[in-house]
Amino acid sequence: MSEHQNNNGDKRQRGHLLPKRIILVRHGESQGNLNTAAYTTTPDHKIPLTELGITQARDCGSHLKSLISANTTSSDYRLYFYVSPYERTRSTLREIGRSFSKKHIIGVREECRVREQDFGNFQVSERMKVIKETRAKFGRFYYRFPEGESAADVFDRVSGFFESLWRDIELNRLKSDPSQELNLVIVSHGLTSRVFLMKWFKWTVEQFELLNNLGNCGFRIMELGDGGEYSLAIHHTEEEMLEWGLSPAMIADQKWRIHAKKGDWNENCSWYYDEFFDHLTDSEEEEEKRKHDTEYYNADSTFESSSS
């Protein structure tokens, strides 16, 4: 077998190891969602789910099972979970897991880097109200909570998680069989999930600021397109993405990704290039050619007019 064939074979094998889907799930309703006074007496990481939150998590598991089963080429699919260490996310994972048999779940890992944004320690309700009003004026991405984090800080640790995630996939630490469709499920938090998508799709800070939070046990499905890129538009509708705060241009990029080859550059994506420049000129050679072509066209048009 030639070296070229070997390389193609390796690429095919690595391609099979790519997850079919990467699914971001927010936790179910927590006591803190129900009553912010819970944060004054209980550390954020210990806030539990409500009874409704437990029901939401079970329903979410059932929904995900139906979705994966209906859109898989084989009933022998697999799931691997990453979960935030917080009580509410671990409980959400536990309830989601009830919908799947043991053979379908190949592993789970607690991952501290996908935890909730740190808001400080015990939170005083009146003080937090003022702080959040200040954040709204300052901007959600850059504003850092006293003794806590900004969304930019979350972005940095999620970026570190990306590196580990790709190593896990590339080295097949997830023990995925190429004959089985792999689904990665990340059970996390609203802001962390939005930051994850921002990092993955290279959205700008301005675009991040327009994104709406996921509802409790809401999820976003990034599915592998036929060219090797992941897209939200394979599973989710344009109406859904508009509700999440994606602009028409961002949605168009998601649709482009369905068939894009991995590594391709979307030239119609303004925030990759055009947004950073007020005006751009061609190179000197291109400018001279354009002038020459224009002059030639004008001269030719003048000749045709005089001839007629």
Side-chain angles (χ1 to χ4, degrees), residues 68-193:
I68 293 170
S69 299
N71 295 278
T72 185
T73 57
S74 169
S75 60
D76 201 23
Y77 61 85
R78 294 291 183 267
L79 298 100
Y80 192 98
F81 292 92
Y82 292 91
V83 62
S84 159
Y86 281 38
E87 172 64 27
R88 56 188 178 271
T89 43
R90 289 174 60 99
S91 296
T92 299
L93 170 65
R94 188 176 302 112
E95 300 306 319
I96 288 175
R98 296 183 191 278
S99 293
F100 298 95
S101 65
K102 187 174 182 181
K103 79 166 188 174
H104 285 133
I105 301 177
I106 58 175
V108 59
R109 184 180 305 169
E110 182 177 281
E111 176 52 70
C112 288
R113 289 171 291 184
V114 298
R115 70 185 185 275
E116 175 66 287
Q117 177 183 9
D118 289 334
F119 298 106
N121 298 314
F122 292 104
Q123 301 171 25
V124 179
S125 298
E126 295 77 12
R127 182 173 180 244
M128 286 301 294
K129 181 180 179 181
V130 174
I131 287 173
K132 289 183 177 180
E133 289 173 353
T134 304
R135 179 183 63 170
K137 297 177 182 178
F138 193 88
R140 288 179 176 271
F141 189 76
Y142 293 115
Y143 183 81
R144 178 176 287 119
F145 283 86
E147 303 175 348
E149 289 182 307
S150 65
D153 295 322
V154 178
F155 183 96
D156 291 342
R157 55 175 161 85
V158 167
S159 298
F161 169 60
F162 268 45
E163 296 178 7
S164 300
L165 178 62
W166 280 116
R167 283 197 299 271
D168 287 347
I169 294 170
E170 181 69 21
L171 300 176
N172 198 20
R173 291 172 177 163
L174 310 182
K175 304 303 180 185
S176 174
D177 186 329
S179 67
Q180 301 163 344
E181 285 188 355
L182 175 62
N183 299 271
L184 285 186
V185 183
I186 302 172
V187 184
S188 182
H189 307 265
L191 181 133
T192 308
S193 297

Side-chain angles (χ1 to χ4, degrees), residues 29-73:
E29 182 189 73
S30 71
Q31 291 291 348
N33 296 139
L34 192 63
N35 184 0
T36 56
Y39 296 109
T40 64
T41 56
T42 306
D44 194 0
H45 65 279
K46 291 186 177 181
I47 297 287
L49 293 180
T50 63
E51 288 299 320
L52 175 59
I54 292 172
T55 300
Q56 290 172 333
R58 288 181 181 173
D59 291 344
C60 180
S62 178
H63 191 172
L64 289 178
K65 181 180 180 180
S66 297
L67 184 153
I68 293 170
S69 299
N71 295 278
T72 185
T73 57

